[in-house]
Amino acid sequence: MAQSQSGNHKQYFFDKFGLTERVLERCLGEALSAGGDYADLYFESVASTSIGLDESLVKSASHGVSAGCGIRVVSGERTGYAYTDNLSADRLLHAAKTAALIASGPAKQPVVGFKETVAAPSLYPAPAFDMDTDLSAKLDLVTRADRTARAFDTRVTQVRAGYSDELRRILIAASDGTFASDTQPLARLNVFVLAKEADRTSKGTSGGGGRVEIDFFQTEKTPEHFAREAARQAILQLGAIAAPAGEMEVVLGPGWPGVLLHEAVGHGLEADFNRKKTSAFAGLIGRSVASSKVTVVDNGTMPGRRGSLHVDDEGSATQETVLIENGILKGYLSDKLSARLMNMPHTGNGRRESYQQIPMPRMTNTYMLAGEDAPEDIIRSVKRGLYAVNFGGGSVDITSGKFVFSASEAYLIEDGKVTAPVRDATLIGNGPEALKYVSMVGNDLALDEGVGTCGKDGQSVPVGVGMPTIKLDRMTVGGTGSR
């Protein structure tokens, strides 16, 4: 059996839960006992901690440990799924028999002898200890954030800070011979600030992390960094004017504004939506869907990034997938089921929230590649428009491609200069159309700080987003001010 970076972690499940390759083979055999085209086992063990600080007091603290296995049987386009939090052989075999009910036909014999997934070099640390070993250090992080934000300005009236982490261990075995395992750390620090002046209140948020250990917040991005950024945003908004409304030139800043790309374009490029022809991008491979300056990739192999994985939740190695190249749609993000049914390449994007859910095509780190324009030249080219630097919430209709996003930090651009901050600005557009108006792409590609969580069909998974500064010649801005 080939050895891999991720495969070194399988011994945890064998030692802790008494699993053996023979048990896995028996479960797969039971899963295919009523027919079916494919079956897989997804084992998961998660240790997590979180601390919340509000009004300078610890308001919440939790630690949890969970473990279980999800068993899937695929027959044509149908999926049978069962899960159990009891990892004894008897309960696993019972769950496998339950999942098998979806199929009808002669029993199929699974592969005997697995082939271990050969994954990329190490993208993140695999701690040899549980991440709850030093709660005092984690409490210190949120306390420092609270103290720094309150000291930023006397108008800061409320601060909330939170820290969370988890150590997720997974093991996947499948009837196609797939055998993969991984140990995945994930940590995040968040700061929320409320500011008040006279009768106006405003808020600011900041945070970050990734597949990192706690040392990241001591050496890379400190609590003080996030606290000052959240406080800066809140104070800035106190003096913001009402955003103008109408169609205008819009410049998106680098980094987190890539969340617009994630929602407006990324979800529409997931294979299951296109297989069902419910995406605005269905049937458009090989056609122009954006300006020739636009290239968009999804990349699960970036060291330390929140959306990165050695292997996806089907045991396949992640990769870099070009979705849009120079404006031309090149492909979709697929899991094993979509790749088989659509006769398309498998991109290693099968992801799930936990062992209780089935995998589906999901993004990892999705971003637009850098161009050749200097950011200052992009700003200088705008006579009057909007410069959006940070975003709050947003929504997209996958079928139509229409999206609405609220900008949490934005400014007017007047005569080629960034001027007054604005409040209550929303960006309204259509994914397949909006990117056709990209006329300038900056050379300053940045990814977000590491806070992205993506929701789909009731499941949430960590993701990364990013983009360089870009200019859209036309976009509808919603606001209450005058132009």
Side-chain angles (χ1 to χ4, degrees):
M1 183 183 294
Q3 192 71 325
S4 74
Q5 177 68 32
S6 64
N8 294 332
H9 313 292
K10 68 179 183 296
Q11 200 62 40
Y12 170 83
F13 287 92
F14 286 14
D15 294 342
K16 188 173 182 65
F17 301 107
L19 299 178
T20 64
E21 288 194 28
R22 176 59 184 150
V23 169
L24 304 183
E25 290 168 355
R26 287 178 62 201
C27 288
L28 289 172
E30 190 65 58
L32 294 175
S33 62
D37 306 313
Y38 168 87
D40 61 16
L41 315 172
Y42 174 83
F43 294 90
E44 177 186 73
S45 176
V46 180
S48 61
T49 60
S50 68
I51 297 175
L53 200 72
D54 190 3
E55 298 177 335
S56 300
L57 300 172
V58 176
K59 290 294 181 73
S60 64
S62 64
H63 170 67
V65 177
S66 66
C69 177
I71 302 179
R72 175 175 60 156
V73 176
V74 176
S75 181
E77 294 191 20
R78 296 178 300 158
T79 297
Y81 198 74
Y83 64 86
T84 175
D85 59 5
N86 184 331
L87 298 185
S88 68
D90 287 346
R91 298 306 300 171
L92 290 170
L93 289 167
H94 178 76
K97 188 178 297 186
T98 302
L101 295 175
I102 191 70
S104 60
K108 291 188 178 179
Q109 191 66 32
V111 171
V112 176
F114 298 103
K115 180 180 179 182
E116 194 162 328
T117 299
V118 178
S122 179
L123 303 176
Y124 37 81
F129 53 87
D130 285 339
M131 297 178 75
D132 63 335
T133 52
D134 193 354
L135 288 173
S136 62
K138 299 169 186 180
L139 178 59
D140 181 60
L141 293 178
V142 293
T143 301
R144 286 163 54 189
D146 175 80
R147 187 166 55 243
T148 301
R150 292 181 183 280
F152 186 85
D153 193 287
T154 56
R155 290 169 289 180
V156 170
T157 59
Q158 184 178 350
V159 179
R160 293 200 301 267
Y163 174 87
S164 61
D165 64 29
E166 69 175 31
L167 190 63
R168 182 183 303 264
R169 294 179 171 95
I170 62 170
L171 173 67
I172 303 109
S175 60
D176 62 3
T178 296
F179 193 56
S181 57
D182 199 12
T183 300
Q184 302 164 349
L186 189 67
R188 173 173 163 171
L189 180 66
N190 293 299
V191 185
F192 169 87
V193 171
L194 202 64
K196 185 173 183 179
E197 185 173 42
D199 60 348
R200 177 176 289 185
T201 60
S202 61
K203 63 183 179 181
T205 60
S206 183
R211 299 205 177 276
V212 298
E213 297 182 84
I214 194 170
D215 287 350
F216 173 87
F217 300 102
Q218 307 289 2
T219 58
E220 298 287 331
K221 293 295 178 71
T222 65
E224 289 79 12
H225 163 78
F226 295 123
R228 284 191 287 265
E229 175 59 18
R232 181 195 66 81
Q233 290 180 27
I235 296 301
L236 177 80
Q237 288 299 308
L238 288 175
I241 63 174
E247 189 175 88
M248 65 189 72
E249 293 177 309
V250 171
V251 175
L252 302 181
W256 179 243
V259 69
L260 187 148
L261 189 76
H262 168 102
E263 294 287 357
V265 177
H267 277 299
L269 297 181
E270 292 167 337
D272 51 349
F273 292 130
N274 289 278
R275 174 169 60 87
K276 299 170 186 175
K277 302 194 182 305
T278 57
S279 167
F281 291 95
L284 298 183
I285 289 180
R287 293 171 61 177
S288 175
V289 296
S291 156
S292 61
K293 293 179 178 289
V294 172
T295 296
V296 177
V297 303
D298 183 86
N299 187 354
T301 69
M302 307 180 77
R305 299 303 310 184
R306 184 170 166 84
S308 294
L309 297 164
H310 290 130
V311 294
D312 71 1
D313 294 328
E314 296 180 303
S316 302
T318 56
Q319 64 181 47
E320 179 178 347
T321 302
V322 177
L323 298 171
I324 299 172
E325 185 174 32
N326 299 326
I328 305 300
L329 181 60
K330 290 296 184 178
Y332 305 126
L333 297 175
S334 65
D335 59 356
K336 286 184 176 180
L337 178 63
S338 295
R340 178 173 63 83
L341 293 176
M342 298 179 71
N343 192 28
M344 63 178 286
H346 175 37
T347 62
N349 286 85
R351 304 188 63 190
R352 65 183 99 198
E353 181 175 338
S354 77
Y355 71 89
Q356 299 180 16
Q357 287 106 2
I358 61 172
M360 63 182 81
R362 306 294 298 270
M363 287 171 275
T364 56
N365 304 298
T366 310
Y367 53 95
M368 185 186 299
L369 296 191
E372 299 179 351
D373 297 305
E376 55 269 25
D377 290 339
I378 296 177
I379 297 293
R380 200 157 29 235
S381 72
V382 177
K383 177 68 174 175
R384 182 170 177 81
L386 189 78
Y387 179 39
V389 178
N390 272 308
F391 285 94
S395 62
V396 61
D397 183 307
I398 298 297
T399 303
S400 68
K402 294 180 180 179
F403 61 82
V404 178
F405 272 89
S406 61
S408 58
E409 181 181 357
Y411 304 83
L412 291 179
I413 304 177
E414 300 173 288
D415 296 322
K417 295 180 180 180
V418 176
T419 57
V422 300
R423 66 178 186 276
D424 302 326
T426 58
L427 300 185
I428 305 164
N430 179 286
E433 291 297 321
L435 292 185
K436 293 181 179 179
Y437 295 111
V438 175
S439 60
M440 300 180 78
V441 178
N443 56 15
D444 58 342
L445 168 64
L447 270 74
D448 72 291
E449 296 263 37
V451 296
T453 298
C454 172
K456 176 180 175 180
D457 290 350
Q459 293 192 44
S460 296
V461 296
V463 296
V465 301
M467 65 165 43
T469 300
I470 67 169
K471 175 186 174 183
L472 297 102
D473 287 340
R474 291 173 54 189
M475 180 169 278
T476 300
V477 176
T480 58
S482 58
R483 294 190 64 179

